[in-house]
Amino acid sequence: MAEPLSVALVGIGKIARDQHIPALNADPDWTLAATVSRSGGVDGVENFADLPQMLEARPDIGVVSLAVPPVPRFAMAAAAIGAGRHVMLEKPPGATLAECHALSAQAQAAGVTLHATWHSRMAHGVAAAKEWLAERELKRLRVTWKEDVRRWHPGQEWIWQAGGLGVFDPGINALSILTEILPAPVHLSRAVLDFPGNRDTPIAAELDFAHPGGAEVSAVFDWRQEGPQTWDIEAETDAGTMRLSDGGATFRAEGAAPVEGPDREYPRLYARMAELVRAGTSEVDLAPMVHVADAFTLGRRRVVEPFDW
């Protein structure tokens, strides 16, 4: 068995504690060798107040995983790549497409791995949905991604600030699945974005896409959902219907065996990162970010009631 890879996890917030740390602790391919956080690290793991300090003190750590908000991520990723470290990016991989292209070029020049991760693509039903759609003619596809921002981002002001993406923070998860499972790419043709009067980012969005075969493809994202949460993708084809639910974890379709299972998204991300590092390659797919950028460019803005916690 190959030696475990040492990783420094930057940003010890909710997503790190809920997903990254359990995934790393359960994987013999990885050793959580250090954390970088101003608000506290992980028991038994060396913590640093900032990334430059860690890079200087721990040249033995070859991988940096960035679980920080998108706006500060570029400078951190560039510093890690400049120090010769492999870099794993939480979604979205950056605040802008230009930043991501710059990081990709820098990583290629430095000969290190850059992995732009899309955790929802690792959900149990996604591969089955991709295979099922590949053999059929799509007629209609509808994405419904509605959740309660107070439940999933309690008190996190950065998501409402410029660069924080607002409802596209979860919505980009749906777009990452959409761009993975469709046999033919689509592009945005219409968008309506609802902005709270006191916020810089949208709380809801309606999207329509142009499909090369004329299929109707649309999405609705909303952060005001109370009660049951909805993360569904439904498709109609010339040979039956398909439904991905629970954020891609559950697959049901006519003529196909159902697929479902426990959450393994982040363990699969780290397994993929280990493969890329050992192979000396990178993986930077920006297709989901293109749709988000197009929505902000093309979208019609509607001002809705202010949002407060």
Side-chain angles (χ1 to χ4, degrees):
M1 181 176 177
E3 286 292 315
L5 298 166
S6 294
V7 61
L9 182 59
V10 183
I12 309 301
K14 188 177 188 301
I15 192 65
R17 295 192 183 278
D18 289 352
Q19 298 289 352
H20 289 262
I21 294 169
L24 287 166
N25 287 341
D27 191 338
D29 265 340
W30 291 98
T31 297
L32 179 56
T35 58
V36 177
S37 175
R38 294 191 301 270
S39 58
V42 176
D43 289 345
V45 178
E46 186 176 15
N47 184 61
F48 295 88
D50 60 54
L51 181 59
Q53 186 183 40
M54 189 282 295
L55 293 172
E56 182 176 357
R58 297 295 304 271
D60 58 305
I61 296 177
V63 180
V64 173
S65 181
L66 296 174
V68 296
V71 170
R73 199 175 300 155
F74 173 77
M76 293 180 177
I81 294 169
R85 316 303 171 91
H86 308 290
V87 173
M88 181 169 167
L89 301 169
E90 177 60 76
K91 65 85 190 173
T96 70
L97 288 167
E99 287 183 354
C100 297
H101 287 301
L103 290 177
S104 183
Q106 184 187 0
Q108 184 175 8
V112 299
T113 292
L114 181 66
H115 183 20
T117 67
W118 300 105
H119 67 82
S120 291
R121 287 181 174 177
M122 300 295 181
H124 274 283
V126 172
K130 181 178 182 178
E131 181 179 357
W132 190 86
L133 286 172
E135 300 174 352
R136 291 162 175 82
E137 180 184 347
L138 183 66
K139 300 295 185 181
R140 187 175 295 104
L141 184 143
R142 175 74 166 174
V143 177
T144 306
W145 228 252
K146 297 182 178 182
E147 61 181 57
D148 185 352
V149 64
R150 292 179 174 90
R151 175 177 174 183
W152 300 102
H153 291 275
Q156 295 180 12
E157 285 295 326
W158 64 266
I159 56 174
W160 295 113
Q161 298 166 358
L165 294 190
V167 76
F168 284 101
D169 180 79
I172 205 170
N173 296 333
L175 296 174
S176 73
I177 296 175
L178 183 74
T179 52
E180 177 70 12
I181 66 176
L182 285 181
V186 295
H187 66 269
L188 195 73
S189 58
R190 171 188 169 273
V192 178
L193 310 181
D194 288 345
F195 284 76
N198 60 341
R199 300 293 178 173
D200 295 330
T201 57
I203 197 168
E206 301 170 8
L207 310 177
D208 292 328
F209 299 88
H211 182 273
E216 298 177 18
V217 179
S218 62
V220 58
F221 306 148
D222 202 317
W223 247 351
R224 299 165 293 196
Q225 178 92 335
E226 297 179 1
Q229 308 289 276
T230 305
W231 303 290
D232 295 340
I233 299 177
E234 298 175 307
E236 299 177 21
T237 74
D238 63 337
T241 61
M242 177 216 77
R243 181 185 178 104
L244 268 178
S245 54
D246 305 320
T250 303
F251 165 82
R252 297 285 189 277
E254 295 180 38
V259 176
E260 61 185 320
D263 180 5
R264 294 282 300 163
E265 293 177 10
Y266 279 80
R268 288 171 176 166
L269 287 182
Y270 276 101
R272 180 58 179 157
M273 181 64 179
E275 291 175 357
L276 293 171
V277 169
R278 288 171 175 150
T281 59
S282 291
E283 193 169 88
V284 184
D285 179 7
L286 302 179
M289 272 192 79
V290 169
H291 291 315
V292 174
D294 286 354
F296 278 101
T297 302
L298 185 64
R300 179 168 64 88
R301 179 187 178 113
R302 292 190 305 204
V303 178
V304 298
E305 62 274 6
F307 173 87
D308 293 299
W309 297 107

